[in-house]
Amino acid sequence: MQLRPNQRLKLDDTDDKLFYAYPRFVTHVDEGFIQQLTDLYRDRLKPNTRIFDMMSSWVSHLPEEMEFDHVEGHGLNAEELARNARLNHYFVQNLNENPQLPLPDGDFDAVLNCVSVQYMQYPEAVFSEIYRILKPGGVAIISFSNRMFFEKAIQAWREASEPQRVELVKAYFASVPGFTTAEVIAHKSTLPNLLQWLGAAGGDPFYAVIAYRS
């Protein structure tokens, strides 16, 4: 799988660091989505392990009752990351400029990415890094809904339907030899489109694509 150059384009091609220069202390999905994600983490993550929360924010969706050996955070706004109480350490890096993570090989039991995969211009490189830093048997959980900063999402994502976006993330995993066949969890919204766009409670669809380092 290789995205074409035009599929990587964003409507706003200014430096991402400028777009994220100011913190956004808001949640980008509704409570229903957050609960489903926390339940998924509770089911798939193991306590006392090492977690990498990629493209994170000021909010953690990790189950409150679970303790981990280390939670490493990453994002584009240091103020947001500093507010995330679950992070033991964090760093700021623009993956569209440099997808190589400053993290050791095989160091993490899980890599998490919540509602941010749509902004990756070089997902093949990023998913290769996800594979590199995972321990054998480690899990990667990529979750998303239908919300986005439209001007910062890549063309391949903007122009795709929700099922096509699922296939896109599956293809990202498949582009890296060594990941297991991706598993999909999909809970589509039952609300009419108008109510979804108005932000009605329970309106956000929930998608998660999961694979393991074999």
Side-chain angles (χ1 to χ4, degrees), residues 53 69 187 209 214:
D53 193 356
D69 282 348
H187 298 147
V209 184
S214 56

Side-chain angles (χ1 to χ4, degrees), residues 50 101-108 129 132-135:
R50 293 178 59 81
L101 297 168
L103 301 169
D105 295 355
D107 197 40
F108 290 91
E129 282 292 279
R132 180 184 65 80
I133 68 173
L134 275 174
K135 298 177 182 179

Side-chain angles (χ1 to χ4, degrees), residues 108-163:
F108 290 91
D109 299 279
V111 175
L112 314 177
N113 184 294
C114 174
V115 297
S116 297
V117 67
Q118 61 267 30
Y119 307 121
M120 295 180 187
Q121 289 181 286
Y122 303 97
E124 308 96 330
V126 175
F127 275 64
S128 180
E129 282 292 279
I130 291 173
Y131 179 84
R132 180 184 65 80
I133 68 173
L134 275 174
K135 298 177 182 179
V139 65
I141 302 175
I142 311 297
S143 59
F144 53 94
S145 189
N146 59 356
R147 297 201 209 181
M148 71 188 90
F149 295 122
F150 197 77
E151 67 273 34
K152 282 296 182 181
I154 64 169
Q155 178 179 301
W157 194 274
R158 295 194 313 269
E159 296 183 351
S161 65
E162 290 180 23

Side-chain angles (χ1 to χ4, degrees), residues 21-34:
Y22 297 98
R24 294 178 174 88
F25 295 120
V26 297
T27 52
H28 300 288
V29 282
D30 67 16
E31 288 300 321
F33 181 103
I34 293 171

